[in-house]
Amino acid sequence: MLKIAISIHNALQLPVMKKTRLVAGHRGGENSIKWVTIVEVLEDFGRLQPGEFLITTGFGLSENEEKLEVFHQLLKSKLLSGIAIYTSFYMKEIPASFIELANENDLPLIEIPTDINFSEITKAILEQIVNNQMHLLEQAENIHRELTNLILNDQSLTEVTERLAQLTSATIVIYSQLYDVLYANHDNDQNRGINFDQTTISINSKQMDISKHLLDSLGKESVGSITFEDHIFNIYPIMAKQSCFGWIVMTKPETGWQELNDIAIEQAAPIYAIEFLKKQAIEETQLRIQSNFLEDIFNKNYINERAIIDHGLKLNYDLTKSQAVFHFTFKHPNDIDVKITDRLYRLTEQILVQNKKQHIIQTKLNSITFLTNVDGKSKDDKYKHCISLARDILKNWIYYFPTIELIIGIGRDYKEVNQLGNSSTEAQYAVNLHELVGTNTNIIHYDDLGMYDLLLEMQRAGLDLTSIYENQISGLFNEGDKELDLIATLDSYFNNNQSIQKAAEELYIHRHTLRYRLNQIEIKTGLDIKSTEDLLKLQLGVMAYKLVRLLNKNN
């Protein structure tokens, strides 16, 4: 097993150490010597580093209780890889207290005779450490060269992942920024039995979720290591332009781990980052092309229908199928930055691909719009198909971003290309008017707006909606804030199918209070709620009032 350091056991095999004797701490034989330090007078050990191998004469330890206590604490500290003491100079033999503490703390304690020079031991051990370092750097450079050559020869990241796994004898898994497994190698014999299901890792029927460890690594931007079921998992973020594109996770049994693995994962990360940046540049170009294509469709900016259909086929999109527009935005768009919109785009793209849906996507500052084909024989089938697709995307979004609320609007489906602009307008209306359907609604199909569609058609035909509610319910506008109570009462009454009991419960008032309010509405409007015609006038008046207020708010 390759190591930068040298173990105590291997150091004792060096010719210069032939006359030395391991007197205590035999269980620490595999402790790694990272450096050699010679100290004549040990007054404190605050400057010693973990893994150092200390050589000392023990000067003054026998005569000074304070220095002796400091040395006892050092033996207990588990800081050093081992201690070597020259005997016959200032210490005729190693004290029993040293031997006892060394054994208790698995700290190798070595006796060195006076006929061996300090410099010979230091030189021999440091030569081994430096040689290991040089060998390790050569191997790391070879790994970087091989992976780079793969990329320069247009090999995919799948081939890069396979080769990295071969060079390190490890299992390699590449995660996307949304925690999806992009590339994986599971062919390593020593790692068979390890299963990756998204971020859940299973070994010997035991499971561990590494999503938290993936996030923790972002703050460090360095190798994060965890041990699970006698396996080491190294995690390294793939960073570029101050953004995370994903993670490399390398794992192998603890007994086979090498320092080379730590360096290899660091060497590989920039190569993956470069490839992700190239992929991002290609995606951005494709998005611009798709965005322009959608604008041409929605604005009917084409010579004829055949020309735009042919253009779609060049983008691998068939415009002759039944199509609908989906419009996604955020409930609090002012709190959204471009990175969040990019996450939404990537998640949406991923789910559409998984569902084998042809699609054209357009991204904006805090929204995305996409056109896709709609399956189903009947109008109801197509409606359910659209809602199901939206729910799939929303479910995944909530899983990754539970605190960022998403609103999805869906336009009607059309088979004629020249009507797809209507679907786009409808999808945006569905988003902007979602509060008319319900404040807790995140997915709104334009058909869910019901009679509001009639009012929108009237507005598009040039009719002033304000005149509708002013003619019908203007009598409710004479008492300041009380008008809101009466309009809200009327709205709840209609939403609950004119049920006194249900409307009163929704408004948290008594049934008699509701009847009193309805009576006041009749008096102030001059309309009779028992009359079908008057009831329709009241309902249209309330709907027009709500619609105009919401449209003005959005504008």
Side-chain angles (χ1 to χ4, degrees):
M1 181 172 66
L2 175 65
K3 289 186 176 182
I4 295 177
I6 178 176
S7 69
I8 293 289
H9 174 76
N10 289 337
L12 289 172
Q13 307 307 310
L14 297 173
V16 71
M17 302 291 282
K18 187 175 181 180
K19 296 181 181 180
T20 64
R21 184 170 67 94
L22 181 64
V23 298
H26 294 75
R27 288 195 299 265
E30 291 303 316
N31 289 357
S32 296
I33 301 174
K34 297 181 179 179
W35 198 250
V36 181
T37 299
I38 300 172
V39 176
E40 183 76 18
V41 180
L42 184 69
E43 295 183 349
D44 73 83
F45 55 90
R47 296 187 179 183
L48 296 174
Q49 300 298 315
E52 284 191 272
F53 182 67
L54 177 66
I55 301 176
T56 182
T57 60
F59 175 77
L61 294 181
S62 302
E63 298 81 16
N64 189 307
E65 288 292 330
E66 187 176 336
K67 290 181 180 179
L68 184 63
E69 180 56 29
V70 169
F71 201 82
H72 283 162
Q73 292 301 318
L74 179 61
L75 292 167
K76 298 176 186 178
S77 68
K78 299 188 182 296
L79 178 69
L80 302 175
S81 58
I83 297 177
I85 299 177
Y86 271 86
T87 54
S88 299
F89 275 120
Y90 305 109
M91 189 177 290
K92 298 300 180 183
E93 61 181 16
I94 296 176
S97 63
F98 291 9
I99 294 173
E100 182 181 350
L101 288 172
N103 283 327
E104 288 177 2
N105 294 281
D106 298 333
L107 177 69
L109 190 58
I110 301 167
E111 183 181 31
I112 301 178
T114 54
D115 58 347
I116 301 177
N117 293 329
F118 284 180
S119 58
E120 291 177 359
I121 294 176
T122 303
K123 179 182 176 183
I125 295 177
L126 290 182
E127 277 181 353
Q128 293 297 313
I129 294 174
V130 171
N131 287 341
N132 284 348
Q133 287 176 330
M134 292 297 295
H135 183 59
L136 188 64
L137 288 173
E138 287 175 6
Q139 288 193 283
E141 190 175 317
N142 288 336
I143 289 175
H144 186 270
R145 186 184 302 112
E146 283 209 40
L147 298 183
T148 302
N149 285 338
L150 288 174
I151 294 300
L152 293 176
N153 287 290
D154 290 330
Q155 298 298 306
S156 70
L157 287 182
T158 300
E159 279 77 20
V160 172
T161 304
E162 291 285 342
R163 188 56 183 148
L164 179 61
Q166 293 169 4
L167 291 169
T168 58
S169 300
T171 290
I172 307 294
V173 178
I174 308 300
Y175 283 97
S176 74
Q177 59 181 327
L178 294 174
Y179 312 121
D180 293 307
V181 175
L182 297 178
Y183 313 98
N185 167 273
H186 295 287
D187 296 333
N188 194 347
D189 289 337
Q190 64 179 343
N191 283 320
R192 293 191 187 280
I194 302 178
N195 294 312
F196 289 82
D197 181 12
Q198 293 290 97
T199 58
T200 301
I201 299 171
S202 303
I203 304 179
N204 301 327
S205 301
K206 294 185 179 180
Q207 293 184 335
M208 172 184 65
D209 190 333
I210 65 168
S211 55
K212 179 181 181 298
H213 300 286
L214 296 177
L215 287 174
D216 288 345
S217 71
L218 293 180
K220 305 170 187 174
E221 291 190 32
S222 59
V223 176
S225 184
I226 51 178
T227 303
F228 175 64
E229 288 296 294
D230 298 325
H231 281 69
I232 290 178
F233 292 81
N234 262 11
I235 299 170
Y236 200 91
I238 301 170
M239 304 291 295
K241 292 184 176 180
Q242 298 180 328
S243 296
C244 175
F245 288 85
W247 293 268
I248 304 175
V249 176
M250 176 187 292
T251 182
K252 64 193 301 187
E254 195 172 3
T255 53
W257 195 265
Q258 304 174 6
E259 273 88 353
L260 177 64
N261 301 127
D262 296 319
I263 294 180
I265 197 171
E266 292 186 39
Q267 295 280 351
I271 293 172
Y272 281 95
I274 291 170
E275 281 303 292
F276 280 126
L277 282 175
K278 285 169 56 179
K279 185 179 178 182
Q280 184 187 56
I282 293 170
E283 287 176 350
E284 288 173 354
T285 301
Q286 291 174 337
L287 270 174
R288 283 195 295 272
I289 294 171
Q290 291 183 17
S291 179
N292 293 335
F293 180 58
L294 281 185
E295 289 296 329
D296 289 343
I297 292 173
F298 297 155
N299 297 318
K300 300 181 182 178
N301 185 24
Y302 46 86
I303 300 172
N304 55 55
E305 190 170 294
R306 186 68 255 171
I308 198 70
I309 289 174
D310 289 343
H311 189 182
L313 292 175
K314 292 176 182 178
L315 297 176
N316 296 318
Y317 193 90
D318 185 0
L319 279 170
T320 63
K321 296 181 179 180
S322 185
Q323 318 284 324
V325 174
F326 289 63
H327 183 65
F328 291 35
T329 189
F330 302 93
K331 191 165 187 179
H332 304 288
N334 293 334
D335 299 333
I336 302 304
D337 60 26
V338 67
K339 289 184 179 180
I340 296 298
T341 306
D342 182 62
R343 294 285 184 91
L344 175 59
Y345 156 70
R346 294 185 183 283
L347 183 141
T348 303
E349 169 80 12
Q350 174 185 312
I351 293 173
L352 290 171
V353 170
Q354 288 173 353
N355 284 275
K356 298 180 180 179
K357 299 289 293 179
Q358 66 164 6
H359 57 279
I360 299 286
I361 295 183
Q362 179 184 67
T363 65
K364 294 189 177 179
L365 181 61
N366 49 29
S367 68
I368 71 167
T369 301
F370 69 83
L371 179 69
T372 188
N373 61 292
V374 179
D375 299 330
K377 295 181 179 180
S378 66
K379 180 180 179 181
D380 187 54
D381 288 341
K382 293 177 180 178
Y383 173 89
K384 290 178 180 177
H385 174 84
C386 290
I387 296 297
S388 176
L389 179 59
R391 283 176 178 165
D392 191 13
I393 296 172
L394 181 63
K395 180 183 70 174
N396 281 273
W397 178 261
I398 292 172
Y399 175 79
Y400 294 115
F401 306 99
T403 62
I404 303 176
E405 195 165 354
L406 192 64
I407 305 296
I408 303 175
I410 308 168
R412 291 168 174 162
D413 63 281
Y414 296 91
K415 194 162 186 180
E416 296 77 12
V417 177
N418 63 2
Q419 291 187 337
L420 292 178
N422 296 341
S423 185
S424 174
T425 301
E426 291 164 358
Q428 293 189 49
Y429 267 128
V431 167
N432 293 335
L433 304 178
H434 74 278
E435 293 177 24
L436 297 176
V437 178
T439 54
N440 295 322
T441 303
N442 294 91
I443 300 174
I444 312 93
H445 194 287
Y446 185 76
D447 285 341
D448 295 333
L449 295 177
M451 285 185 62
Y452 287 106
D453 172 44
L454 174 63
L455 292 171
L456 289 169
E457 288 292 340
M458 293 167 67
Q459 184 192 52
R460 285 193 287 267
L463 183 65
D464 183 9
L465 297 182
T466 304
S467 64
I468 294 178
Y469 69 76
E470 284 183 346
N471 289 337
Q472 309 304 336
I473 59 173
S474 59
L476 305 180
F477 299 160
N478 299 325
E479 297 188 30
D481 292 341
K482 289 186 178 180
E483 72 179 63
L484 299 178
D485 287 340
L486 293 177
I487 293 175
T489 298
L490 202 51
D491 187 39
S492 178
Y493 181 64
F494 289 133
N495 289 339
N496 287 283
N497 297 316
Q498 302 162 54
S499 167
I500 296 287
Q501 178 70 34
K502 291 181 179 179
E505 289 176 358
E506 183 178 79
L507 294 168
Y508 299 102
I509 60 176
H510 196 274
R511 294 190 306 277
H512 296 318
T513 304
L514 178 59
R515 287 194 176 93
Y516 171 78
R517 288 186 183 180
L518 293 175
N519 184 53
Q520 290 296 304
I521 290 169
E522 289 181 317
I523 294 171
K524 293 177 183 298
T525 62
L527 298 172
D528 183 1
I529 64 173
K530 298 180 184 67
S531 165
T532 303
E533 183 178 346
D534 286 357
L535 200 63
L536 180 58
K537 290 178 181 178
L538 287 169
Q539 189 167 9
L540 279 174
V542 171
M543 291 178 68
Y545 173 79
K546 290 173 61 182
L547 180 58
V548 169
R549 281 172 62 94
L550 194 52
L551 288 174
N552 289 339
K553 174 186 172 184
N554 289 332
N555 287 337

